[in-house]
Amino acid sequence: MKKFFKVLGTALGIVVLAVVGFVVWVQARGIPSYEKPPTPTMAVAATPERLEMGRSLVLASCTDCHLNKQTNRLSGQQMLDVPQEFGKLYSANITQDKDHGIGNWTDGEVITLLRTGIGRDGRYRIIMPHFVHMSDEDVNSIVAFLRSDHSWVKADPAPTHAQEPSLLVKALANTVMKPTPMPTQPVVAPVATDQLAYGRYLIVGRYQCYDCHSKDFKTNNALEPEKSEGYLGGGNHFLDANGKDIVSRNLTGDPETGIGHWNAGDFSKAVKFGMSPNGPLRAPMPKYSTMSDEDAAAIFAYLQTIPKIKNATPEDQGTVAVK
Ligand code: HEC
Ligand code: HEC
């Protein structure tokens, strides 16, 4: 018996030491830096098509985090919908200011960040999504827009607030949240007439709906999105405007807890205008107001083909007001 306790004591001691060691290591490392990945050297040409597409993509995928409502510029703000366990995080100033925005970044450096999560100084950017499967054309459109004379991107001298990540975020940034590699091949979107492939592209490439709509950011698989736990079955947690928990919803075809009983019109209204058959949708669900009905229909068609998941989220349990 005595020997048993001795062994147990030693084992516990080792575990405690390992945990303390890990915490010290994570605190010391903070948010890690990486060697700068191979960075494209070509400047992006601004065509009218790219500027229009770029505005639509930035509206859909960047403004919710980067647009400062006071200045109406992409000058950054505190991320209030990030759960407290992550600490206090701030989106960056991505206006054209040379000192505090990205006016001094090359187009290639912006592309590298969007693809990998690694900034021009090598530091890993936290919370900022990685656009791994977005087509080169869409990425170029975003860059062209960031360089345009639109009022959102006009130089704003406000410095980006320093990040105040929690120990959890530091631990995640040193373990599961990793940079993603630069694509080694051109990334080309499927043609819109190939409806299912195109719908999948919109979900995993252009808009990354799967990132919010799968079970948890921590178990999402950026390289192979379909391998994310609970792929598109909802359940990921955010905070709403009042700091209350808000849960992403099940987009699979399960008739009870998913959207199996919806039609393409219901879906389009929910995605474009935030009007779901379950009532008005709240942030952080973006309003994809510039999405075409054809694109919404392609996403809807693709969603019918993925494995159904039974996962009830609050609106299924009657805990969200249904109008
Ligand atoms: C979920 C919120 C979120 C979304 C969506 C988002 N970003 Fe960010 N972004 C951040 C945060 C937070 C940072 C700062 C991270 C850090 O410093 O570690 C950041 C940093 C950046 C930076 C680096 C700037 C610098 O000086 O370090 C660029 C460039 C950028 N974002 C561009 C974009 C673009 C373009 C889009 C849309 C395609 C976008 N972001 C979408 C949250 C977001
Ligand atoms: C930043 C995270 C985020 C992104 C990105 C996102 N969603 Fe959502 N979505 C949510 C949240 C959170 C809700 C729940 C809102 C609520 O409870 O009011 C939601 C709700 C919905 C609903 C309503 C479902 C129902 O049962 O009422 C649909 C449909 C939907 N999202 C589709 C999409 C599609 C399609 C995309 C990509 C084009 C997308 N979402 C991208 C977070 C997100």
Side-chain angles (χ1 to χ4, degrees), residues 166-279:
S166 65
L167 180 66
L168 172 67
V169 166
K170 289 184 200 159
L172 290 172
N174 280 291
T175 50
V176 293
M177 287 181 182
K178 284 264 149 71
T180 40
M182 277 302 272
T184 50
Q185 304 283 327
V187 188
V188 180
V191 289
T193 45
D194 188 355
Q195 201 193 31
L196 293 182
Y198 184 64
R200 174 187 179 274
Y201 170 70
L202 297 179
I203 289 240
V204 305
R206 182 177 289 169
Y207 298 116
Q208 307 209 115
C209 322
Y210 88 94
D211 203 26
C212 286
H213 279 277
S214 301
K215 188 174 169 210
D216 193 326
F217 287 122
K218 300 197 266 299
T219 48
N220 280 349
N221 188 327
L223 292 182
E224 297 174 273
E226 283 89 342
K227 291 194 178 157
S228 302
E229 219 172 286
Y231 179 61
L232 291 168
N236 207 347
H237 288 262
F238 303 86
L239 293 180
D240 73 3
N242 303 316
K244 291 229 176 70
D245 188 40
I246 179 164
V247 184
S248 73
R249 298 184 185 175
N250 187 344
L251 301 184
T252 72
D254 182 62
E256 282 161 42
T257 64
I259 59 170
H261 55 292
W262 290 24
N263 61 41
D266 294 335
F267 184 75
S268 188
K269 266 200 269 177
V271 175
K272 291 173 65 174
F273 308 116
M275 285 163 15
S276 149
N278 292 312

Side-chain angles (χ1 to χ4, degrees), residues 14 48 65 92 100 157 178 224 268 285:
I14 291 172
C65 290
H100 299 293
K178 284 264 149 71
E224 297 174 273
S268 188
M285 169 64 194

Side-chain angles (χ1 to χ4, degrees), residues 61-62 65-66 79 90-94 101-102 105 110 113-114 123-129 131 142 146 163:
S61 301
C62 321
C65 290
H66 285 279
M79 306 294 322
Y90 304 82
S91 63
N93 181 343
I94 58 167
I102 53 168
W105 292 41
V110 177
L113 170 77
L114 293 174
R123 181 174 63 82
Y124 181 63
R125 298 299 191 265
I126 41 178
I127 300 290
M128 166 75 199
F131 297 85
I142 290 175
L146 294 175
Q163 306 294 345

